[in-house]
Amino acid sequence: MQFESFADFLNMGGYAFYVWLSFGVTFFAMGIIAIQSFSKHRDLLKQAVVEKERKARIKKARQQQQDNT
């Protein structure tokens, strides 16, 4: 679809409110999804580090118990 001017493009044939609102809602939703994804990824990495440290402590404690017996 071609437009005669930039103003016609922005007007979207009289449907500008609906068109630009749909774009706005879509990009807003995509932004929220991206932020949540990055946040969840960071939290999962932190949990993995904590779990790895916990397993190392358990292994060390078991070795100390075996050494003491």
Side-chain angles (χ1 to χ4, degrees):
M1 180 178 224
Q2 289 184 340
F3 298 99
E4 297 295 322
S5 67
F6 188 69
D8 286 341
F9 171 74
L10 292 177
N11 190 27
M12 288 287 170
Y15 297 102
F17 176 75
Y18 304 107
V19 171
W20 297 118
L21 182 63
S22 67
F23 273 99
V25 168
T26 300
F27 286 118
F28 180 73
M30 289 172 51
I32 288 175
I33 290 170
I35 290 168
Q36 285 178 339
S37 296
F38 288 128
S39 175
K40 186 68 172 175
H41 178 73
R42 186 184 65 233
D43 292 345
L44 287 173
L45 288 177
K46 286 179 183 178
Q47 286 177 357
V49 169
V50 168
E51 183 67 20
K52 185 176 179 180
E53 291 170 350
R54 180 182 154 281
K55 285 183 179 183
R57 285 193 312 269
I58 291 171
K59 184 177 179 181
K60 184 178 178 182
R62 285 184 180 162
Q63 286 177 346
Q64 287 177 350
Q65 274 183 341
Q66 288 176 355
D67 291 343
N68 291 339
T69 55

